[in-house]
Amino acid sequence: MSSHGDQTTGDGTRTAPRDPGYDPAAEVVETCRDLIRMDTSNYGGADGPGERKAAEHVAALLDEVGISSQLVEAEAGRTSLIAHWGGADRSRTDSLLLHGHLDVVPAEAADWQVDPFSGEVQDGYVWGRGAVDMKDFDAMLLSVVRARARAGAVPDRPVVLAFTADEEAGGHLGAEVLVREHADQLEACTEAVGEVGGWSATVRGRRVYLIEAAEKGMAWMRLTARGRAGHGSMINRENAVTDLAGAIARIGSYEWPVRLTPAMQTLLAAVADLAGTEATPENAESLVEEFGGAARMLGAVIRNTANPTMLGAGYKVNVVPQEATAHVDGRFLPGFEDEFFDTLAELCGDRVDIDFVSHQKPWETPYEGALVDAMGRSLLAEDPGALVAPYLMSGGTDAKHFTRLGMRSYGFAPLRLPDDLDFTALFHGIDERVPVDALEFGSRVLDRFLDEV
């Protein structure tokens, strides 16, 4: 319970109101718009504006309500923020980490209906790069924390707030730096909550809220074939381009087998119950299709995946190059890393070498315990009749770094979404946007959640 005297029942329903005028969602829309207007595009290298302006803005918002913070820079402009809050119960030593990242992927303005860095409100949505990934959660978190700080509603549990740089390029200049160089700031954290979870999908007329309880591992790989350089008019049986092209074709067309991890077994069992059947590896793909547009994400978490993404070779049409390269985005399920790399080596063959651009392990946290219960109750208090279930995330988040410190991690950025919104297509997509009422819903849910943690 929080220290301001507001009580909740077992189902998350408050039995006493806060002070008149208390609204955890009061600032969420404007905060989200302000963050979107700060271009924090991450190009994966030294180029780009960096995150410092956004980090300084967050620091100022926290300072206004009496929460001091520390800025951490791995390189000039690549700025993260860390702050300590809560802990009204001095006997509590199990801190909770709440984290979001400040960087976004680039956006080409000519492709969008609106300026991607305008933060425009149109048709009931806040538009802009980062609206769902993940300045929406940053804004919800800031709105709730500021409202609670003003009301004296400090959580009993100590809370660490982290807003990080570089998540969109693997977190090496953000969360990894916090874990490696500032672990003392995080050593009391036993659990962590960040993206991507708590969003709703509609299955057979029933809203299902998906809590991230696992992530695939990430293997961004550079494949290199080396052969014999020579004249393009002559026979060459050691052609690096040919060897590489064969490997890439085999990787791109390979059908990875279905593998169900604990989180997906639980989710698909819930969907199977709605469909009047049972979940099995054989019908897993059809159950995933029940999620409509979200199937593009969920279909990738019942198997390993490897997608070729870049190719490079040669400098003249009549010269056989000595070397050819390709990049592959590989993602592997918890518990199936050996299978993934053994298969990949077989597909590449002996004439193609594999090096890592980034290699991060998968993780899976048991979907149980007081924190999980608090997430479920806070969602159902705002949306009675919905279902709440875990899932495995296809992409990577900063949780990969924080779990290295032994934290139980979850993705919980709650959004109640329209049935017809193709939400997963908005991640890194054109015309990224988030419903205004979803931001307000998420703020209320997070506020309830903080009452119970």
Side-chain angles (χ1 to χ4, degrees), residues 16 26 62 150 159 177 235 244 247 269 273 279 315-316 415 429:
L62 294 176
R150 289 190 179 109
V159 173
V177 174
I235 292 174
L244 183 75
D273 188 58
Y315 53 87
K316 196 170 187 292
L415 295 170

Side-chain angles (χ1 to χ4, degrees), residues 117-414:
F117 298 104
S118 66
E120 184 171 332
V121 176
Q122 180 176 296
D123 301 326
Y125 287 76
V126 178
W127 294 60
R129 178 59 84 216
V132 301
D133 187 13
M134 63 168 300
K135 290 178 175 178
D136 57 340
F137 181 69
D138 294 337
M140 288 189 284
L141 186 54
L142 288 165
S143 183
V144 171
V145 168
R146 281 165 57 84
R148 293 178 73 99
R150 289 190 179 109
V154 179
D156 287 347
R157 186 176 186 178
V159 173
V160 177
L161 304 172
F163 296 84
T164 60
D166 198 42
E167 190 275 344
E168 296 293 1
H172 305 297
L173 300 178
E176 184 176 304
V177 174
L178 295 182
V179 168
R180 185 179 67 243
E181 299 178 13
H182 300 274
D184 59 315
Q185 302 262 24
L186 303 167
E187 62 184 356
C189 295
T190 59
E191 295 172 310
V193 170
E195 59 173 354
V196 175
W199 49 278
S200 72
T202 302
V203 177
R204 300 199 173 211
R206 189 88 172 268
R207 264 193 299 275
V208 181
Y209 288 91
L210 305 179
I211 307 297
E212 182 188 348
E215 279 182 16
K216 296 177 86 172
M218 183 171 72
W220 289 349
M221 296 167 287
R222 185 177 190 265
L223 275 52
T224 305
R226 295 177 178 86
R228 177 169 52 84
H231 200 289
S233 68
M234 300 181 186
I235 292 174
N236 190 325
R237 304 194 190 284
E238 300 174 51
N239 190 316
V241 174
T242 302
D243 291 338
L244 183 75
I248 288 298
R250 291 189 294 272
I251 292 170
S253 61
Y254 183 72
E255 290 291 331
W256 296 87
V258 170
R259 301 283 189 251
L260 298 183
T261 60
M264 291 306 293
Q265 288 173 358
T266 302
L267 174 62
L268 294 183
V271 175
D273 188 58
L274 291 177
T277 185
E278 295 184 359
T280 67
E282 290 71 30
N283 70 358
E285 289 184 292
S286 63
L287 291 175
V288 165
E289 291 301 320
E290 296 276 358
F291 285 92
R296 73 167 54 82
M297 176 189 287
L298 297 175
V301 296
I302 58 173
R303 53 170 55 86
N304 294 326
T305 58
N307 282 310
T309 56
M310 297 170 64
L311 290 169
Y315 53 87
K316 196 170 187 292
V317 68
N318 63 342
V319 178
V320 177
Q322 187 176 5
E323 182 176 288
T325 63
H327 286 77
V328 174
D329 185 340
R331 311 286 175 139
F332 47 94
L333 298 167
F336 296 94
E337 183 171 1
D338 290 344
E339 178 184 71
F340 175 80
F341 285 109
D342 289 346
T343 301
L344 198 71
E346 184 178 339
L347 293 171
C348 283
D350 296 335
R351 297 170 66 88
V352 176
D353 296 328
I354 302 173
D355 297 302
F356 292 109
V357 176
S358 182
H359 182 190
Q360 299 183 29
K361 293 183 178 298
W363 60 268
E364 183 148 13
T365 301
Y367 186 69
E368 61 188 19
L371 197 73
V372 167
D373 293 342
M375 287 187 274
R377 284 194 295 268
S378 62
L379 280 166
L380 296 178
E382 292 290 334
D383 191 3
L387 294 175
V388 183
Y391 87 110
L392 191 155
M393 171 65 177
S394 62
T397 73
D398 282 338
K400 281 188 172 63
H401 299 291
F402 295 126
T403 54
R404 289 164 49 197
L405 296 179
M407 300 180 207
R408 291 165 54 96
S409 289
Y410 299 95
F412 184 61

Side-chain angles (χ1 to χ4, degrees), residues 26-37 112-129 131 139 431-440:
E27 299 178 342
V28 66
V29 173
E30 288 308 310
T31 302
C32 187
R33 297 181 71 194
D34 288 343
L35 289 171
I36 288 170
R37 292 181 185 121
W112 286 55
Q113 295 183 49
V114 302
D115 183 334
F117 298 104
S118 66
E120 184 171 332
V121 176
Q122 180 176 296
D123 301 326
Y125 287 76
V126 178
W127 294 60
R129 178 59 84 216
D431 292 336
E432 184 178 351
R433 60 198 183 276
V434 63
V436 168
D437 60 3
L439 288 173
E440 295 168 343

Side-chain angles (χ1 to χ4, degrees), residues 51-72:
E51 299 87 358
R52 186 170 185 90
K53 183 177 180 181
E56 289 177 340
H57 178 68
V58 172
L61 291 177
L62 294 176
D63 186 64
E64 281 182 5
V65 293
I67 301 173
S68 61
S69 60
Q70 176 184 350
L71 299 184
V72 175

